[in-house]
């Protein structure tokens, strides 16, 4: 999933239906993809574009949608960009940030042929990176709908990927790969904080990353808010892309009930046991109410994506059952929701 086609770990997130299924429970249909003449991102540091046809003389079209893809080198920016390209987006790789407003203006003149633009911004263009803030302010003044997707990954995963392709990190200079990674994290820290969607690819393979991108961008109509509800085990670490984290360890653990231990929170008996415990239903009701309040604020601030992490000890029973119920509540209230069981089956 990396820009260097390195192969990350092959462990898959687990969603409803079993470990072989995609992490996303559902996604909508795809529009037809436009033509592509760009080269692979790892082969050229220049701007690469996928081109569509233009017909001179037609009326000026509306301002296109814009997605800015950024994040850590080796975290999967090229894979994310190719996924959007397959969904019909006009993709530009490594465009200097100062030229982003110009790219949007050109798209507005394309008579609707370029209605959605995705731009990859990374440290290969670090001489121009300081211009990104100015470009974002310019886009906001012109009322351009823009979203920032940030690809994240752990140091260990990034080192493994760079070593597997035997290529240096763009910022390591005469130092080590970890030095380049640390420098890049510091450079991108502020942009990560402004991102609308953060995807941690540490344990994702190419297909799982594409499933996540499809779940967020494949719909023909953009929903007000999209949510990912993720169950996880605290013993495996917090999800780094979580916006909100809730702890289910205040409930009794079904692991200590011999007849329930082999099953997961997807099992009806386990779910019934969890929600028959004091405080479980009350937590679900109050947390759903809190999320309604937070969701309203996110919409006012223009935030379109939220990742809600629900944790227990191992990510197998309590967090899975609660994630399923919470996702159903959100979906019933009109929030497009994807469920991911990160650690189920890992024990």
């Amino acid at each position: 999933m990396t820009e260097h086609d390195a192969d990350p770990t092959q462990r898959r997130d687990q969603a409803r239906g079993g470990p072989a299924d995609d992490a996303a429970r559902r996604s909508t249909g795809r529009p037809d993809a436009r033509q592509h003449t760009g080269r692979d991102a790892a082969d050229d540091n220049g701007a690469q574009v996928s081109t569509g046809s233009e017909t001179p003389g037609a009326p000026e079209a509306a301002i296109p949608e814009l997605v800015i893809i950024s994040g850590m080198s080796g975290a999967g920016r090229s894979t994310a960009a190719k996924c959007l390209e397959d969904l019909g987006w006009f993709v530009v790789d490594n465009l200097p940030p100062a030229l982003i407003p110009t790219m949007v203006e050109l798209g507005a003149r394309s008579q609707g042929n370029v209605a959605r633009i995705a731009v990859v911004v990374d440290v290969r263009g670090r001489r121009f990176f300081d211009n990104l803030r100015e470009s974002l302010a310019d886009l906001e003044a012109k009322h351009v709908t823009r979203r920032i997707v940030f690809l994240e990954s752990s140091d260990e995963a990034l080192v493994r990927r760079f070593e597997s392709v035997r290529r240096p990190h763009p910022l390591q200079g005469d130092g080590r790969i970890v030095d380049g990674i640390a420098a890049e994290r510091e450079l991108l820290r502020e942009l990560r904080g402004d991102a609308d969607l953060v995807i941690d690819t540490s344990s994702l393979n190419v297909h799982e990353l594409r499933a996540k991108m499809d779940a967020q961008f494949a719909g023909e109509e953009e929903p007000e808010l999209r949510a990912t509800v993720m169950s996880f085990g605290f013993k495996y670490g917090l999800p780094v892309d979580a916006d909100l984290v809730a702890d289910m360890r205040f409930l009794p653990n079904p692991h200590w009930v011999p007849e329930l231990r082999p099953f997961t929170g997807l099992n009806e008996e386990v779910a019934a046991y969890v929600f028959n415990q004091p405080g479980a239903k009350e937590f679900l009701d109050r947390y759903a109410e809190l999320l309604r309040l937070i969701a309203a604020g996110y919409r006012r601030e223009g935030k379109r994506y939220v990742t809600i992490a629900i944790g227990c000890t191992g990510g197998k029973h309590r967090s899975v059952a609660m994630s399923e119920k919470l996702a159903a509540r959100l979906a019933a209230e009109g929030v497009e929701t994807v469920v991911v069981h990160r650690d189920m089956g890992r024990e």
Side-chain angles (χ1 to χ4, degrees):
M1 87 183 58
T2 73
E3 287 73 11
H4 315 298
D5 292 328
D7 184 23
T9 61
Q10 296 301 309
R11 182 181 60 79
R12 304 176 67 87
D13 289 343
Q14 300 193 31
R16 180 185 295 276
D21 290 339
D22 288 337
R25 175 185 294 171
R26 63 181 186 216
S27 61
T28 54
R30 296 184 176 185
D32 293 336
R34 295 185 173 88
Q35 292 180 334
H36 167 55
T37 58
R39 295 162 290 177
D40 188 86
D43 296 331
D44 193 348
N45 289 341
Q48 304 169 15
V49 300
S50 58
T51 59
S53 60
E54 295 187 9
T55 305
E60 184 173 310
I63 297 176
E65 296 180 57
L66 174 67
V67 166
I68 298 173
I69 300 173
S70 191
M72 300 298 295
S73 298
R77 293 187 308 246
S78 289
T79 296
K82 290 174 183 176
C83 182
L84 290 183
E85 190 172 69
D86 291 343
L87 294 173
W89 291 70
F90 186 99
V91 177
V92 186
D93 189 15
N94 200 27
L95 183 73
L99 297 181
I100 294 177
T102 302
M103 191 72 233
V104 173
E105 291 176 7
L106 292 174
R109 301 174 189 173
S110 69
Q111 309 149 36
N113 287 325
V114 183
R116 298 179 298 174
I117 297 174
V119 176
V120 181
V121 177
D122 55 57
V123 293
R124 290 177 293 168
R126 54 190 176 275
R127 290 173 299 175
F128 309 99
F129 206 83
D130 292 339
N131 296 327
L132 181 59
R133 271 288 159 218
E134 183 178 343
S135 294
L136 293 178
D138 187 11
L139 293 170
E140 184 175 356
K142 295 177 180 178
H143 306 290
V144 176
T145 300
R146 60 89 176 160
R147 288 164 284 172
I148 299 175
V149 177
F150 192 95
L151 281 300
E152 174 69 278
S153 197
S154 67
D155 287 2
E156 294 78 6
L158 294 176
V159 169
R160 184 173 62 252
R161 293 169 189 174
F162 275 104
E163 288 182 343
S164 69
V165 294
R166 301 180 181 179
R167 296 190 63 172
H169 187 280
L171 295 186
Q172 78 179 71
D174 296 330
R176 301 176 300 162
I177 291 176
V178 291
D179 297 326
I181 292 172
E184 186 176 34
R185 283 200 194 281
E186 184 60 32
L187 181 65
L188 298 177
R189 187 179 304 277
E190 187 174 354
L191 181 62
R192 186 191 189 282
D194 290 339
D196 299 282
L197 175 63
V198 177
I199 300 178
D200 178 22
T201 68
S202 302
S203 58
L204 300 182
N205 60 35
V206 173
H207 306 292
E208 290 168 328
L209 175 54
R210 291 186 68 93
K212 282 181 173 286
M213 292 295 294
D214 282 348
Q216 300 294 345
F217 292 99
E220 295 181 1
E221 297 182 0
E222 183 67 27
E224 289 188 1
L225 183 68
R226 286 176 173 171
T228 296
V229 180
M230 177 188 298
S231 69
F232 73 96
F234 277 96
K235 69 180 182 180
Y236 301 115
L238 288 169
V240 300
D241 53 345
D243 297 295
L244 304 167
V245 177
D247 186 354
M248 296 298 102
R249 291 177 294 183
F250 72 93
L251 297 172
N253 192 348
H255 175 81
W256 303 115
V257 180
E259 58 269 27
L260 298 180
R261 182 178 302 175
F263 301 105
T264 73
L266 297 178
N267 179 270
E268 292 183 5
E269 288 78 8
V270 173
Y273 174 86
V274 170
F275 283 97
N276 282 332
Q277 302 304 317
K281 293 179 180 178
E282 183 180 7
F283 172 85
L284 177 62
D285 292 339
R286 294 193 177 185
Y287 198 57
E289 183 178 355
L290 176 62
L291 289 178
R292 283 194 289 272
L293 177 65
I294 293 174
Y298 278 164
R299 292 185 181 102
R300 288 193 298 269
E301 293 300 313
K303 184 175 176 65
R304 298 171 181 265
Y305 311 101
V306 59
T307 298
I308 304 162
I310 308 294
C312 62
T313 303
K316 179 179 179 180
H317 296 113
R318 294 164 290 180
S319 62
V320 172
M322 186 63 71
S323 294
E324 290 289 326
K325 292 288 188 181
L326 182 61
R329 288 281 186 95
L330 294 175
E333 295 177 7
V335 178
E336 186 168 334
T337 307
V338 174
V339 178
V340 176
H341 299 306
R342 192 192 74 174
D343 298 323
M344 191 173 68
R346 187 170 180 176
E347 75 285 346

